[in-house]
Amino acid sequence: MFSIDSITGDVTTMKTLDRDGGVTDYIFKVQVTDGGTGSHIKTSTVTVTVNGINDNAPYFLSTPYSVRSIQESNALAGSVVYQVSAADNDLGTTTTFAYSVSAVKYGSSLTSDWEFSTTTAGALTFKNKYDLDVAGTSALTILELIVTDGGSPVLTGTTSLTISIVADNEYTPTIQSQTASPITIDEDTPVGTSVAKFTGQDSDIGAEGTLSYSIGVTNTGVCSSNPFAIDSSGEVTIKTALDRETCAGYVIQVVITDSGVSPKSVSGSLTVTINDVNDNQPSCSPLYQTVHIQEPAAVNDVVRPTSRICIVFHFHLSLILLHKVDYDSATQYYDVDVEVTDSVHVQTVKVRVIVDHKNEFNPTFATNPTFSVNENDISNPDVTTYTASDADYSPDNIVSYALQFAIATDGNFFGIDTSSGKISLKAPLDYEATKKVYELTVVAIDGAGSKGTGTVTVSVLDVNDNAPTCPQYTYVKSVSENSSPQVIVNSLGCTDPDGTAIAYALSISSGTSFSIISTDKVNLDSNLDYEATSSYTLTVKVTDAGTPVLTSTVIIYVDVINVNDGGPTFSPTTQTVSLDENVAVGTSVADAVATDPDGTDPTFGDLRYSILSGDPNSLFYIDVSSGHVSTRNTLDFELHQSYTLIIQHRETLVNVDNLVAMLL
């Protein structure tokens, strides 16, 4: 806070001193030193006292002060408006503050209307009664307040205070004027027309003196609504249309109310009579009606709704027929406009006369037709469309068709479209297997359930659709060779299911030894030779006489049985051969060749050769299959000069011996 000059020793302040900051005295030491050898030092204590001055202005503890609301009835002369307080930051002084109103920043009052209490510091009071009902008096006031301290020089502080005076509702509204009662209004007076005027008055100023108008009614007729309205000026007008037939009169109740916190009001009444005028059409309800009449209805028949159509006149409408009505003529209703008038107004009632249907007729079929269909043909299954007629109009006309069958299984072949009456084949017909004529009963059913029947005859046409049939299509026969002509198949027995004549044609795989005789017999015409042909295949074509021609085939397999035609024979029957003695073993001697009419047939023609006699010492060998003879051992002339060999040829299964002699 302080500094010292090292030469002169002058002590000066380094900062501003403020006694009000809490420090009133400063104590510090000052040291002085000489400049000689072995210098000497001295110290001294310095006390600085800070003297106070009036350097801080006073201030209000709240700035600004909040709005203060005071009821008007409490705003009396001398009553406290608000308690303010101030402070001063100068230390060590005792200050007495003085308060005053320096200005009215907002409102209608003067500074002289306010004063601070002389007995209570800072208490602001009303100098006079504050009356909001005085013209021009403002309910809101903003004051500028000033506080002055007792220092020298004199310093001041300011703030603002907002004051709101809440008005009291002191006076009750009064009716200053109103339309004289009673009044009469025509019921057709337009909506919006002014019919009366109420004027109210209130001595309060401001909201408490602001008036509003409301309206209610006491009805004198059978009604519940209020057709009147009143605006903010008290003018009564027609809000909704009047109707004397609904309500003949009203007592209007008008209430005038001020806008105070605790509202006050006054009420007045006005009697209103509604004058009747002819303003209504005849009352008819409903305006669209339906009545029913059963067909057939005759001329002068009366048609009458079940209830009155116009209540005002309380009459029943009666309509008289001028001509016969018939539902089946395709006119099922008539629209009639009935005009109802009271001589001024006209009301139109639309009446629809509905003709109720009656099932008068049964379905009928005009003819009972006959149709033909080919058997086994369902490429076009439609037979015919068979329909009935019914003079009744919908819904009593024909609604469906059905078939009835005397024999239940006929239903497997025919069906009918229930809507159109189209008859169709469900399965192909067979002229040969099933019936040749079908009688179909067609039933037509109308909307009331009545029925009518008709008959459709369907003839089945025969077509050549079956090939000839035979009891047997394959035969296997056996015939011995060299047999005499004979019948090998007694009867083929083929027939045509379609009933046409049968023709047979024979073809043979080999030869011409067979034929067809007596229409359907298969005959052997000549001897057979097993060795030439051992089997035959006969094909018999069986043909009908229809169109188109249809054919079946019978196959006959003929096996030829082999028989023994004869025994074997040698040629030549005798042979003479010369051989040298001592020829090698196996030397060829001769060939004993035999033949057999059965050839090489294994049963009768398979030959076997053997040496029957003449070779006691087994000097010779013969091949059993070929008959070739050769030496088995060495021949010796000195022992035996000749040999007579007897050769045998035997068929395999037959004991027939044929001998040949061979001389050596």
Side-chain angles (χ1 to χ4, degrees):
M1 295 296 292
F2 298 95
S3 66
I4 187 168
D5 189 295
S6 63
I7 303 301
T8 63
D10 290 335
V11 177
T12 59
T13 60
M14 296 175 67
K15 296 181 180 179
T16 303
L17 302 179
D18 184 7
R19 176 184 175 85
D20 303 320
V23 181
T24 59
D25 295 287
Y26 295 89
I27 301 174
F28 55 88
K29 290 181 180 183
V30 177
Q31 177 181 285
V32 60
T33 306
D34 62 16
T37 302
S39 59
H40 298 281
I41 299 172
K42 290 289 185 179
T43 60
S44 177
T45 300
V46 179
T47 299
V48 179
T49 300
V50 182
N51 296 323
I53 63 174
N54 190 25
D55 60 344
N56 289 292
Y59 58 88
F60 286 94
L61 296 182
S62 178
T63 179
Y65 284 98
S66 302
V67 174
R68 173 72 170 169
S69 296
I70 301 173
Q71 196 67 39
E72 182 184 10
S73 58
N74 294 327
L76 304 175
S79 61
V80 176
V81 178
Y82 203 77
Q83 178 73 50
V84 300
S85 58
D88 193 320
N89 290 332
D90 288 317
L91 186 65
T93 60
T94 302
T95 301
T96 301
F97 296 116
Y99 299 94
S100 62
V101 178
S102 60
V104 177
K105 298 175 71 176
Y106 181 85
S108 59
S109 66
L110 304 173
T111 57
S112 58
D113 293 331
W114 313 88
E115 63 181 3
F116 280 92
S117 172
T118 57
T119 59
T120 304
L124 179 64
T125 64
F126 292 101
K127 188 172 184 180
N128 302 302
K129 180 181 183 299
Y130 202 97
D131 188 359
L132 291 177
D133 296 324
V134 176
T137 302
S138 174
L140 182 66
T141 301
I142 301 176
L143 302 178
E144 183 180 74
L145 306 181
I146 188 169
V147 60
T148 304
D149 62 13
S152 180
V154 175
L155 298 178
T156 62
T158 61
T159 189
S160 63
L161 171 63
T162 301
I163 303 167
S164 175
I165 306 301
V166 180
D168 288 328
N169 193 10
E170 300 178 79
Y171 303 99
T172 298
T174 60
I175 296 176
Q176 187 177 13
S177 64
Q178 75 167 72
T179 300
S181 181
I183 62 172
T184 299
I185 308 171
D186 288 342
E187 64 175 323
D188 60 350
T189 302
V191 171
T193 301
S194 176
V195 297
K197 174 75 173 179
F198 284 77
T199 303
Q201 185 179 19
D202 194 313
S203 296
D204 288 309
I205 301 299
E208 284 71 19
T210 301
L211 303 178
S212 62
Y213 296 84
S214 63
I215 191 170
V217 296
T218 300
N219 303 321
T220 60
V222 183
C223 51
S224 58
S225 61
N226 174 19
F228 300 102
I230 190 167
D231 63 14
S232 59
S233 69
E235 185 172 12
V236 178
T237 58
I238 298 174
K239 178 176 64 175
T240 57
L242 302 175
D243 184 7
R244 187 180 184 282
E245 287 71 33
T246 303
C247 198
Y250 303 86
V251 176
I252 297 175
Q253 300 291 336
V254 175
V255 178
I256 304 173
T257 307
D258 63 24
S259 302
V261 176
S262 298
K264 296 181 179 180
S265 62
V266 65
S267 63
S269 64
L270 177 65
T271 300
V272 180
T273 300
I274 306 302
N275 188 39
D276 188 26
V277 296
N278 188 5
D279 60 342
N280 290 300
Q281 291 181 328
S283 178
C284 301
S285 177
L287 294 178
Y288 178 85
Q289 294 203 15
T290 58
V291 295
H292 293 262
I293 186 171
Q294 179 77 53
E295 69 157 336
V299 175
N300 295 325
D301 281 358
V302 176
V303 183
R304 175 177 293 179
T306 57
S307 61
R308 298 184 179 92
I309 62 171
C310 293
I311 298 175
V312 171
F313 298 98
H314 298 288
F315 69 88
H316 270 90
L317 170 68
S318 295
L319 299 176
I320 300 175
L321 294 178
L322 299 179
H323 62 84
K324 177 183 178 181
V325 296
D326 183 5
Y327 180 91
D328 305 317
S329 68
T331 302
Q332 286 77 47
Y333 64 86
Y334 299 86
D335 288 327
V336 180
D337 287 345
V338 178
E339 290 188 350
V340 183
T341 181
D342 61 0
S343 75
V344 175
H345 301 284
V346 177
Q347 179 67 278
T348 300
V349 178
K350 292 185 176 297
V351 179
R352 172 164 286 188
V353 180
I354 297 176
V355 181
D356 292 333
H357 61 87
K358 180 180 180 181
N359 190 26
E360 301 177 87
F361 305 97
N362 294 330
T364 57
F365 289 93
T367 60
N368 295 313
T370 298
F371 297 93
S372 298
V373 296
N374 289 331
E375 66 168 328
N376 292 324
D377 183 6
I378 200 167
S379 59
N380 180 14
D382 296 340
V383 176
T384 185
T385 297
Y386 188 46
T387 58
S389 61
D390 192 320
D392 289 309
Y393 193 70
S394 177
D396 293 325
N397 59 347
I398 297 171
V399 296
S400 65
Y401 293 90
L403 285 176
Q404 288 182 348
F405 301 99
I407 300 175
T409 54
D410 289 353
N412 298 330
F413 299 101
F414 297 94
I416 190 168
D417 185 291
T418 59
S419 299
S420 67
K422 180 189 290 185
I423 300 173
S424 304
L425 287 173
K426 294 165 61 178
L429 302 174
D430 188 350
Y431 181 89
E432 289 75 29
T434 59
K435 295 166 58 174
K436 296 174 176 52
V437 177
Y438 294 84
E439 288 191 355
L440 309 180
T441 300
V442 181
V443 181
I445 307 168
D446 66 19
S450 297
K451 300 177 181 179
T453 60
T455 301
V456 174
T457 300
V458 179
S459 297
V460 183
L461 299 179
D462 187 23
V463 296
N464 192 31
D465 58 343
N466 294 288
T469 60
C470 302
Q472 189 171 336
Y473 293 91
T474 302
Y475 293 85
V476 177
K477 297 292 184 176
S478 296
V479 180
S480 297
E481 66 176 327
N482 301 322
S483 295
S484 300
Q486 59 184 282
V487 174
I488 62 172
V489 177
N490 188 52
S491 175
L492 294 173
C494 299
T495 60
D496 184 4
D498 295 312
T500 66
I502 295 297
Y504 299 90
L506 174 65
S507 62
I508 307 172
S509 60
S510 176
T512 59
S513 300
F514 301 91
S515 64
I516 300 292
I517 64 172
S518 302
T519 305
D520 67 344
K521 300 180 185 294
V522 179
N523 193 65
L524 173 63
D525 294 334
S526 60
N527 294 337
L528 302 178
D529 184 2
Y530 175 86
E531 285 70 33
T533 304
S534 61
S535 65
Y536 297 84
T537 299
L538 311 183
T539 301
V540 179
K541 296 291 185 181
V542 186
T543 305
D544 66 14
T547 302
V549 173
L550 299 179
T551 301
S552 296
T553 301
V554 177
I555 304 296
I556 304 170
Y557 297 99
V558 180
D559 292 327
V560 180
I561 301 174
N562 190 20
V563 298
N564 197 354
D565 293 322
T569 60
F570 284 101
S571 178
T573 58
T574 302
Q575 294 187 50
T576 300
V577 179
S578 294
L579 288 176
D580 291 336
E581 67 173 331
N582 298 320
V583 294
V585 174
T587 299
S588 176
V589 176
D591 287 315
V593 178
T595 59
D596 194 297
D598 295 306
T600 60
D601 178 71
T603 302
F604 301 109
D606 188 11
L607 303 180
R608 293 292 182 262
Y609 294 88
S610 64
I611 298 175
L612 186 64
S613 65
D615 185 21
N617 299 315
S618 299
L619 297 177
F620 299 93
Y621 168 79
I622 188 169
D623 186 286
V624 297
S625 297
S626 65
H628 179 69
V629 180
S630 60
T631 61
R632 186 192 302 268
N633 288 301
T634 302
L635 302 178
D636 186 355
F637 180 83
E638 285 71 26
L639 294 178
H640 211 296
Q641 291 77 35
S642 65
Y643 296 89
T644 300
L645 303 178
I646 303 302
I647 306 301
Q648 175 181 265
H649 184 212
R650 181 189 293 268
E651 293 176 341
T652 304
L653 298 179
V654 180
N655 294 320
V656 176
D657 295 331
N658 292 290
L659 303 180
V660 60
M662 183 174 293
L663 302 179
L664 297 179

